[in-house]
Amino acid sequence: MEQRPQRASCRWFLVWAYAAMLFSGLLLAGSGASAGETLKIGILEEPKTLNVWRATDAWSNKVLGLLYQPLYVRDPKTLELIPWLAAEQPFFDEKDLSYTVKLRPATWSDGTELTSEDVAFTGNFINEFKVPEDYSKWDFISKIEAPDKHTVKFYLKEPQATFLTRTLTTPIVQKKEWVDRIEAAKKTEKPLGTLLNEKIDSPVSSGPFILKEWREGSYLFLQKNPRFFGTGQKIQGRLLGPYIDGVIFKLFGTSDAAILALKKGTIDMFWWGVQPGYMEDLRANPDIELFQNEKSSLYYMGFNVRKPPFNDPNLRRAIATLVDEDFIIKRILQGYGVKMHSIVPSGNAFWYCPDVPKYGEGLDREGRIKKAFDILRQAGYTWQTAPVEASGKVVNGDGIRLPDGSPMEKFTILTPPADYDPHRAMCGMMMQEWLRMLGIPAYSKPMAFGALLQQVKARHEFDAFVLGYGNLSLDPDYLRNFFLSSNDKPNGWNMSGYNNPEFDKIADGSAKALDRDKRQALIWEMQKIVMRDVPYLPLYNPNLIEAVQKGRFTGWVQMLGGIGNLWTFCELKPAK
Amino acid sequence: MELRKYIGRRLVQVVIIFFVILTVLFLLFRLAPGDPVSRMVDPDMTPEDAHRLKVELGLDKPLGIQYLVYLKNFFTGHFGYSFHYGEPVVNIIWSRLPNTVLLFTTSIILSALVGVFLGKIASWHKGKKTDSILTIGALVTHTLFLPWLALIMIWLFSYKFGWFPITGMISEDVWLDPDSGFIAKSLDVMYHMVLPLSTLFLIHFGAYLLIMRSSMLETLKEDYILTARAKGLEEKVIRDHHAAPNAALPVVTSVGLSLAFSINGGALTETVFTWPGIGRELVFSVSQNDYPLAQASFLLIAAVVLVSNVVVDVLYAYLDPRIRY
Amino acid sequence: MPLLEVDNISIGYHTRNGYLKAVEGVSFVLEEGQSLGLVGESGCGKTTIGMALMGLLPPNGSVSTGRILLEGKNILVMSDEEKRRIRWRKMAMIFQAAMNALNPVQRVGNQIAEAILVHNPSLEKEAALSQVEGLFDLVGIPRERLTDYPHQYSGGMKQRAVIAMALACHPKVIIADEPTTALDVIVQDQILEEVRALQREFNIGIIFISHDISIVADMCHEIGVMYAGQLVEFGPWRTVFESPAHPYTKALLSSFPTLTGKKSDLVPIPGETPNLINPPAGCRFCDRCPEAQAFCKTTPSQWVDIGSGHKALCCRS
């Protein structure tokens, strides 16, 4: 009779043994590299891929940015383009619309020389395969020549303002690493798909660090690249290292855990924005150093200007007047952000037009309502109960009618759900309240992100929405993309359906303006037009707050977009 | 013979149900709003780029063709490439699954063993202090909110006391050290497993305790317990050899199904503890419309659940001689 | 010294509705090799007596007064451990097999061997199992069925196994509680025949508990008729059958045309048994008694000795 329980426990043992077997399989792979003086960085998501052509997520790009290098990078202070793999500024020949770029001596991580062949190969490859996300930066190039090892010549089909800022900031890959893969891919049914599905385990790179080990689900270890071309060089007055032996990206499932690890000293840096909720605690902690920087980002409310009621710019202007940006910054962002007056963030100083209409600026709640009321009343809107009485007293408006006399239908403001982004969801709620004071029947509605994009971007079935770009390119060409009438198509970038021939003309001019100052004037003009018509209403630009261990490393470089930039990794030194 | 026939019949059922699930899954994901490409909101991506990407992913094809591709991928055991990782789905699943199995299977077995043991004790002391303490303890821990408990555990034992690593499954210090051998690495994983395991254990043992306790109380009313007592057996023998094996039968079903579902892990647990398991991937793949990965993960769960249902039934027959098929 | 003497025991249960007096003032004596039948409707207290004898009353039940003397020793004052030791060794029980008297997940042989081993700790398991084989021979179960599980047995075989189990430690007393109730008539006869034979062979005293008076009559030297917790008539079986003194016994017997004729369940007697939480002051049967008179209701009934061991608890006898 003692047999039975034994038999049962024997079963359990078998199951457990099975688990143990799986477990030991896991441990078979070994590794070997010493960590030395390494910077440990907490990240919240694993890089999806180290295939530079597939990577679209922020986390892959954080790692890839340290591996693959472009010809030109941005100066952290001025945001000017400065030569990186290139030796000097490009030479433009107006006659044949060509740019000549001289290369700096540089080596790939496998020891071979980085030459003009590699640069030409990268461009030709993108054009041949129409690599998504990069093709639009290269499709206007008709030919790339490599007259000698250190010279590349790009021939353009037409003048293109973004050639310097976007095309020449594309990371360069090694011909040797990719050429065989490309040949093999061409023989498959879907060459591009095959290449995008290529798994890159040990990328051949030219950056300050090289990939040593990627333990999926746990960490990535990058080692100092002994062949980095920048080592010992002075670029923009900065003597480059790297001065640290390596970088470890350590994965954390939640911000809570990552911040605990930072406080505990398990990691030296948390490469993600710290939410305002953690600030008080971190600020009081003597071991933590905080950096606050502006971001190149845009959070805005978009209107569907294809149909009533938002086809009327007066209504959009009235709403712009109602929106209290100070409130959003102070209450929703808890002070960690800057107001946005234009589509271009103010931190992008050269392109940002300071001279755009600023609706309701300086007015208090009541003042805004009165001003918005005036705008609407003059445009022919009527109310059953006007929000502002003859005596000037502000009440809750009701029964608003459009200039044509028809009642304003209820409409929804679509926002991402609060668990995706509490700020945007909260903004939607505030907008609803502010609009209702004026008797405008607005309803804020959180919607799953995928569904929201489907409604807004693919189907154009919406009234208004709140969306944002967390990492906007430093080149303002997006301004053109967002509002060009030809981009008003399913899945196109003109989600509002803004259609203004005057704007289109200036925008096209800006894309072809090779002179920076001329282009600046056009870009400013475009901002003025957009802010006059308000198809997008910029709401806020949050600051990026990053936290590091105090006293472990020095030399953090702050720039637009935070301390996690190439310069920091080239200049960071262990503290004594 | 009978049993073999029974298993055969059940397996046929399993295959049929599996194909229904296979099809329903396909439709469910396609009917859900959004698609993997339209999520890529980078302004660098033109509509033409997006379309090209859709073609590469095969999403431009009519549903019927997509379904056939899906079936082909299934039968060739390939399951396609993940839209986001660009890696064969099989590779992703195989790299994550063992971690999930290790943590969750161990936790279920541990909580079941302890739950059964404590449930036995609670029922034996029914109405007394021991019973109240155990029952209330089980109810309280079982109803705790897992992420909350997990954070408390991390904060207390990792951050305050510093006894355990904050999260993760391995520590880079050990794994990057060329001197670390198999044992050192295994110990490292076990060390990292203590907190997540304890958390899962605290949440789950209560359920088994309560099942065992009530099942045991029912069993103690049975006549053969009276017989055992009449025979002059010691109380401990009656409890452990007569009541407990009978009472543990419902726990077997519960454990069997929990084990099956454990392969989908717990996205929350895995996230809070940064455990590189399949649960997080699953949630992520659904939210990112990564159809191939999500489909394969769900199919895996369906298959395991279906098969383990059969296994539990057969095991039941093995444990309870009354049941014959 | 009688083998077993039950002296004026009363047993009660603490229930949610109050203290239930399940058995009141029952006395009888069982001699070695004799058999005594306790008969009555369900709920009359006969099984409670059996459980009290085995010391297996549920936690809410207890013997409030009286003594149970087994070979002259009052088992009611023994410690739990002492009681556990005499259980099965001195006094065993044949349970009703249709109820799960056998553990469904253990082999039958092991269950019987377990009883032997617990009282002979020095014995090897193999030795115990070979003893079980002997017992199987005795009750007529093929030896190879030793390793079967209870569900593989037929009803009759299960009952035989239960009997074998009761015999395992050669007890002096066996309490048989409805041992054949769920069996069909032919098997029932076989089993009863076997019990009788074994009783003779091993000189065992048997207390036979049943609701079926004809079975009890078949088996027993003496019969006690119970009603509502009381013994209402007691005597040698022939006397009780031929000249029942208590109206309840008469009613019971009237449902059986002949002693050897067709057996059937009791024909219900009109009316209900009294509430045992607040039993009536007078005769407990008087509400259903065809011969009841006014004083029966108020005067507690008295034992009337009819002679040659036959007595009844009725004022009218």
Side-chain angles (χ1 to χ4, degrees):
Chain A
M1 56 221 75
E2 286 86 349
Q3 283 173 343
R4 248 204 35 80
Q6 268 173 19
R7 214 165 49 192
S9 55
C10 174
R11 279 274 139 154
W12 298 135
F13 177 76
L14 281 177
V15 177
W16 208 87
Y18 161 73
M21 247 164 52
L22 286 170
F23 165 49
S24 49
L26 203 90
L27 299 175
L28 282 179
S31 80
S34 135
E37 194 63 80
T38 48
L39 173 73
K40 291 191 180 178
I41 301 178
I43 51 173
L44 283 184
E45 264 178 42
E46 182 150 60
K48 294 273 158 297
T49 173
L50 290 184
N51 180 334
V52 70
W53 308 118
R54 159 160 301 256
T56 51
D57 61 298
W59 306 98
S60 304
N61 286 325
K62 282 181 199 301
V63 176
L64 287 167
L66 299 182
L67 302 177
Y68 294 102
Q69 301 303 309
L71 294 171
Y72 293 86
V73 294
R74 301 268 179 180
D75 179 89
K77 288 225 162 59
T78 62
L79 301 179
E80 300 286 331
L81 278 183
I82 52 162
W84 188 246
L85 279 175
E88 55 197 43
Q89 290 294 341
F91 170 77
F92 178 54
D93 187 344
E94 224 167 325
K95 286 199 297 287
D96 55 1
L97 269 181
S98 75
Y99 286 88
T100 307
V101 175
K102 289 270 183 215
L103 297 184
R104 208 189 272 280
T107 343
W108 290 108
S109 54
D110 65 356
T112 58
E113 200 182 0
L114 191 157
T115 68
S116 51
E117 281 286 318
D118 295 312
V119 179
F121 171 80
T122 303
N124 287 330
F125 162 67
I126 290 172
N127 270 342
E128 186 182 351
F129 278 79
K130 300 192 171 145
V131 176
E133 289 211 66
D134 291 299
Y135 181 53
S136 64
K137 304 172 195 168
W138 290 78
D139 60 350
F140 49 81
I141 289 169
S142 57
K143 193 168 65 175
I144 309 172
E145 280 175 0
D148 66 59
K149 262 165 91 172
H150 292 112
T151 313
V152 198
K153 209 168 171 190
F154 301 90
Y155 294 91
L156 275 59
K157 292 175 191 161
E158 58 195 353
Q160 196 72 31
T162 59
F163 175 73
L164 295 180
T165 53
R166 315 231 2 249
T167 313
L168 293 187
T169 52
T170 308
I172 303 301
V173 299
Q174 191 198 30
K175 181 176 179 183
K176 194 175 123 209
E177 189 192 10
W178 284 90
V179 73
D180 291 341
R181 289 198 176 105
I182 286 171
E183 289 311 315
K186 276 183 189 163
K187 295 191 183 97
T188 62
E189 196 184 333
K190 284 180 175 169
L192 175 58
T194 309
L195 273 178
L196 292 183
N197 286 341
E198 205 66 63
K199 188 173 163 78
I200 307 299
D201 289 319
S202 43
V204 179
S205 54
S206 59
F209 295 93
I210 46 182
L211 180 72
K212 189 73 191 167
E213 188 187 345
W214 182 4
R215 183 71 56 182
E216 274 178 46
S218 294
Y219 62 84
L220 274 107
F221 175 43
L222 305 190
Q223 224 171 16
K224 173 178 171 174
N225 179 3
R227 300 193 175 97
F228 176 51
F229 64 86
T231 306
Q233 302 271 341
K234 214 166 194 174
I235 299 179
Q236 292 297 99
R238 298 165 181 274
L239 188 61
L240 303 184
Y243 304 104
I244 49 178
D245 297 323
V247 180
I248 287 175
F249 289 88
K250 198 168 161 54
L251 186 61
F252 288 89
T254 60
S255 292
D256 292 310
I259 285 173
L260 281 182
L262 184 72
K263 281 158 72 176
K264 192 89 189 159
T266 314
I267 52 172
D268 306 310
M269 170 191 180
F270 177 35
W271 198 350
W272 196 242
V274 174
Q275 292 301 307
Y278 297 107
M279 288 301 289
E280 208 175 314
D281 178 38
L282 289 180
R283 209 179 266 145
N285 192 321
D287 299 330
I288 300 292
E289 189 172 2
L290 293 168
F291 295 97
Q292 191 171 168
N293 287 292
E294 276 190 41
K295 277 169 75 173
S296 177
S297 65
L298 163 68
Y299 292 87
Y300 66 97
M301 179 169 174
F303 301 102
N304 191 346
V305 305
R306 301 173 189 90
K307 62 173 195 178
F310 294 116
N311 55 357
D312 180 4
N314 288 311
L315 178 62
R316 306 198 296 262
R317 276 175 215 134
I319 291 175
T321 310
L322 276 177
V323 170
D324 187 345
E325 291 190 313
D326 289 310
F327 180 91
I328 292 176
I329 304 292
K330 210 188 274 167
R331 289 298 164 80
I332 299 181
L333 299 185
Q334 297 178 34
Y336 301 106
V338 289
K339 285 195 275 186
M340 248 191 137
H341 296 295
S342 178
I343 303 295
V344 177
S346 53
N348 198 353
F350 185 78
W351 301 112
Y352 164 70
C353 171
D355 190 25
V356 290
K358 290 173 183 146
Y359 299 94
E361 180 80 346
L363 292 178
D364 62 358
R365 177 85 280 130
E366 208 162 276
R368 285 171 188 275
I369 293 176
K370 283 180 180 165
K371 184 147 180 230
F373 172 66
D374 280 341
I375 295 173
L376 290 177
R377 196 181 47 183
Q378 277 159 25
Y381 288 78
T382 54
W383 283 263
Q384 246 159 25
T385 313
V388 180
E389 291 177 348
S391 62
K393 194 171 160 244
V394 172
V395 295
N396 271 342
D398 189 28
I400 187 168
R401 281 171 185 279
L402 303 180
D404 67 6
S406 62
M408 190 187 283
E409 306 268 342
K410 286 179 185 174
F411 65 85
T412 50
I413 305 168
L414 301 177
T415 71
D419 59 348
Y420 181 89
D421 180 0
H423 294 162
R424 275 179 260 179
M426 185 65 93
C427 275
M429 304 254 292
M430 287 317 302
M431 301 293 306
Q432 169 188 306
E433 292 314 307
W434 288 331
L435 294 183
R436 292 227 184 134
M437 284 178 186
L438 216 61
I440 297 175
Y443 290 83
S444 160
K445 185 179 168 194
M447 189 182 255
F449 194 68
L452 172 58
L453 281 181
Q454 180 106 344
Q455 291 290 96
V456 173
K457 202 171 161 209
R459 299 208 188 121
H460 297 160
E461 283 169 12
F462 67 98
D463 301 306
F465 61 89
V466 179
L467 276 178
Y469 297 100
N471 190 10
L472 216 47
S473 151
L474 290 178
D475 184 278
D477 196 45
Y478 50 81
L479 190 58
R480 186 176 65 100
N481 276 330
F482 288 164
F483 304 111
L484 208 57
S485 59
S486 59
N487 278 351
D488 176 15
K489 56 192 171 188
N491 285 317
W493 284 109
N494 189 347
M495 296 187 274
S496 272
Y498 183 66
N499 187 334
N500 182 350
E502 179 203 358
F503 178 88
D504 288 354
K505 217 177 107 199
I506 300 172
D508 284 336
S510 81
K512 293 191 171 65
L514 298 181
D515 183 87
R516 234 162 84 89
D517 293 332
K518 260 188 209 149
R519 185 165 179 233
Q520 183 196 39
L522 294 172
I523 294 285
W524 283 28
E525 187 59 31
M526 284 155 72
Q527 290 177 60
K528 283 179 195 160
I529 295 174
V530 168
M531 288 322 293
R532 186 192 71 206
D533 289 348
V534 221
Y536 278 8
L537 171 58
L539 295 174
Y540 62 89
N541 184 7
N543 283 350
L544 183 68
I545 301 151
E546 286 161 304
V548 302
Q549 273 276 323
K550 197 178 264 177
R552 280 270 293 143
F553 294 94
T554 57
W556 306 95
V557 180
Q558 300 194 63
M559 70 182 282
L560 186 66
I563 54 169
N565 54 64
L566 202 52
W567 300 103
T568 289
F569 289 97
C570 288
E571 291 187 61
L572 204 62
K573 288 185 177 112
K576 281 285 141 12
Chain B
M1 262 306 120
E2 281 300 302
L3 185 64
R4 205 172 294 171
K5 237 188 199 164
Y6 170 79
I7 294 175
R9 203 171 61 231
R10 284 293 304 270
L11 286 181
V12 171
Q13 283 174 7
V14 162
V15 169
I16 295 170
I17 296 171
F18 187 77
F19 273 90
V20 173
I21 293 174
L22 193 81
T23 309
V24 169
L25 268 180
F26 174 83
L27 288 175
L28 269 184
F29 282 115
R30 297 315 189 275
L31 291 178
D35 67 65
V37 174
S38 66
R39 302 185 58 92
M40 301 176 183
V41 286
D42 194 315
D44 288 349
M45 178 97 73
T46 62
E48 292 74 28
D49 284 342
H51 182 72
R52 221 163 26 247
L53 208 50
K54 268 190 170 180
V55 173
E56 291 305 328
L57 299 178
L59 291 170
D60 57 324
K61 301 249 171 56
L63 272 192
I65 305 286
Q66 286 190 43
Y67 183 65
L68 288 180
V69 172
Y70 169 66
L71 284 186
K72 191 191 116 206
N73 279 342
F74 171 73
F75 281 111
T76 52
H78 184 266
F79 293 102
Y81 283 86
S82 155
F83 290 167
H84 283 269
Y85 291 99
E87 257 190 86
V89 164
V90 185
N91 292 3
I92 298 170
I93 291 183
W94 281 124
S95 74
R96 302 290 196 269
L97 191 60
N99 302 340
T100 294
V101 170
L102 174 68
L103 175 60
F104 287 85
T105 310
T106 314
S107 87
I108 287 166
I109 291 167
L110 191 69
S111 11
L113 289 179
V114 175
V116 163
F117 177 73
L118 292 179
K120 202 168 74 181
I121 290 179
S123 68
W124 204 251
H125 297 275
K126 189 191 168 216
K128 302 209 184 95
K129 217 175 173 181
T130 321
D131 180 33
S132 314
I133 291 172
L134 285 173
T135 313
I136 292 171
L139 279 171
V140 168
T141 55
H142 189 53
T143 45
L144 284 179
F145 185 50
L146 196 143
W148 178 81
L149 177 67
L151 273 177
I152 294 290
M153 299 277 281
I154 294 172
W155 184 81
L156 195 66
F157 294 109
S158 303
Y159 180 68
K160 272 281 150 190
F161 300 152
W163 294 344
F164 297 104
I166 284 185
T167 57
M169 184 172 161
I170 56 177
S171 101
E172 65 282 355
D173 294 336
V174 175
W175 285 63
L176 286 175
D177 184 350
D179 296 334
S180 302
F182 179 79
I183 305 227
K185 288 177 178 176
S186 311
L187 286 176
D188 186 49
V189 172
M190 283 180 197
Y191 180 47
H192 280 78
M193 213 163 95
V194 174
L195 273 192
L197 196 59
S198 316
T199 306
L200 287 170
F201 168 75
L202 277 178
I203 297 279
H204 290 133
F205 87 96
Y208 296 115
L209 187 151
L210 296 174
I211 297 174
M212 183 62 184
R213 178 181 175 272
S214 69
S215 165
M216 188 80 173
L217 287 178
E218 278 308 305
T219 311
L220 287 177
K221 289 182 195 149
E222 296 283 350
D223 290 299
Y224 54 79
I225 299 299
L226 198 64
T227 313
R229 208 164 270 156
K231 284 195 285 194
L233 299 184
E234 282 174 56
E235 292 293 283
K236 198 174 150 302
V237 177
I238 298 172
R239 181 185 67 192
D240 293 346
H241 290 181
H242 285 266
N246 280 288
L249 289 175
V251 183
V252 171
T253 320
S254 169
V255 168
L257 290 181
S258 305
L259 280 177
F261 278 106
S262 77
I263 65 147
N264 74 342
L268 281 175
T269 317
E270 290 183 359
T271 303
V272 179
F273 286 106
T274 323
W275 196 261
I278 196 82
R280 277 190 80 189
E281 292 305 326
L282 190 102
V283 171
F284 191 78
S285 64
V286 172
S287 72
Q288 297 289 311
N289 299 75
D290 191 345
Y291 305 144
L293 183 53
Q295 280 163 177
S297 314
F298 276 106
L299 280 181
L300 180 72
I301 292 169
V304 173
V305 169
L306 287 173
V307 169
S308 57
N309 254 310
V310 178
V311 171
V312 165
D313 284 355
V314 172
L315 187 66
Y316 218 96
Y318 176 76
L319 292 176
D320 186 346
R322 277 169 296 182
I323 294 170
R324 280 292 168 266
Y325 303 104
Chain C
M1 184 176 59
L3 175 61
L4 177 71
E5 187 181 349
V6 172
D7 181 16
N8 192 30
I9 58 165
S10 298
I11 306 166
Y13 296 107
H14 291 279
T15 70
R16 211 171 297 165
N17 300 324
Y19 186 69
L20 186 141
K21 298 171 192 114
V23 172
E24 238 183 309
V26 169
S27 305
F28 58 80
V29 170
L30 177 73
E31 296 293 347
E32 215 164 281
Q34 293 286 299
S35 58
L36 183 151
L38 288 178
V39 69
E41 292 168 287
S42 56
C44 72
K46 55 190 193 301
T47 299
T48 298
I49 292 178
M51 290 301 162
L53 290 174
M54 291 297 295
L56 291 176
L57 286 173
N60 64 338
S62 59
V63 178
S64 55
T65 58
R67 300 181 301 164
I68 298 173
L69 300 173
L70 181 66
E71 295 178 316
K73 280 185 216 142
N74 186 357
I75 59 174
L76 292 178
V77 298
M78 288 179 181
S79 71
D80 284 351
E81 186 57 22
E82 279 175 294
K83 270 192 259 184
R84 189 180 71 72
R85 287 218 199 95
I86 62 157
R87 250 179 235 160
W88 223 255
R89 207 157 51 83
K90 289 270 163 75
M91 190 158 45
M93 193 156 183
I94 298 173
F95 293 96
Q96 189 183 325
M99 301 162 77
N100 286 314
L102 294 168
N103 189 333
V105 304
Q106 290 189 11
R107 297 175 199 280
V108 178
N110 286 345
Q111 295 191 46
I112 300 175
E114 186 182 31
I116 298 171
L117 284 168
V118 75
H119 295 291
N120 305 284
S122 55
L123 213 60
E124 290 290 312
K125 196 182 168 193
E126 284 65 34
L129 278 172
S130 70
Q131 284 189 25
V132 178
E133 286 181 353
L135 289 167
F136 269 37
D137 293 346
L138 214 57
V139 298
I141 305 174
R143 284 183 173 196
E144 66 267 21
R145 305 301 293 268
L146 206 66
T147 53
D148 281 3
Y149 288 98
H151 71 275
Q152 292 165 300
Y153 279 26
S154 68
M157 262 164 86
K158 264 192 244 179
Q159 193 61 66
R160 286 193 173 92
V162 169
I163 293 168
M165 193 192 282
L167 293 172
C169 296
H170 310 295
K172 294 275 172 57
V173 183
I174 288 180
I175 297 155
D177 189 358
E178 307 268 11
T180 58
T181 303
L183 303 174
D184 66 63
V185 180
I186 298 167
V187 179
Q188 195 172 338
D189 277 344
Q190 288 172 350
I191 301 271
L192 291 175
E193 197 47 56
E194 262 159 41
V195 171
R196 229 189 326 244
L198 291 166
Q199 181 190 20
R200 246 175 272 133
E201 190 179 340
F202 296 107
N203 201 28
I204 302 168
I206 291 188
I207 292 177
F208 209 99
I209 296 169
S210 178
H211 64 273
D212 186 337
I213 196 164
S214 62
I215 290 178
V216 172
D218 252 6
M219 292 288 299
C220 301
H221 304 101
E222 288 179 307
I223 293 181
V225 178
M226 289 194 69
Y227 180 75
Q230 291 175 321
L231 200 59
V232 293
E233 183 159 359
F234 189 85
W237 76 267
R238 191 173 293 274
T239 333
V240 173
F241 258 75
E242 284 173 0
S243 49
H246 197 279
Y248 178 65
T249 314
K250 290 174 191 165
L252 274 184
L253 286 171
S254 67
S255 34
F256 301 96
T258 58
L259 258 184
T260 49
K262 181 177 152 275
K263 289 163 184 163
S264 71
D265 282 345
L266 287 175
V267 171
I269 304 161
E272 283 176 22
T273 49
N275 177 350
L276 292 183
I277 289 171
N278 288 307
C283 173
R284 293 187 177 178
F285 188 61
C286 66
D287 283 347
R288 303 164 79 184
C289 181
E291 303 166 35
Q293 302 200 350
F295 67 88
C296 289
K297 236 186 163 75
T298 49
T299 321
S301 27
Q302 300 291 322
W303 280 104
V304 178
D305 205 329
I306 303 160
S308 60
H310 186 193
K311 52 182 185 173
L313 189 70
C314 177
C315 304
R316 293 193 57 265
S317 302

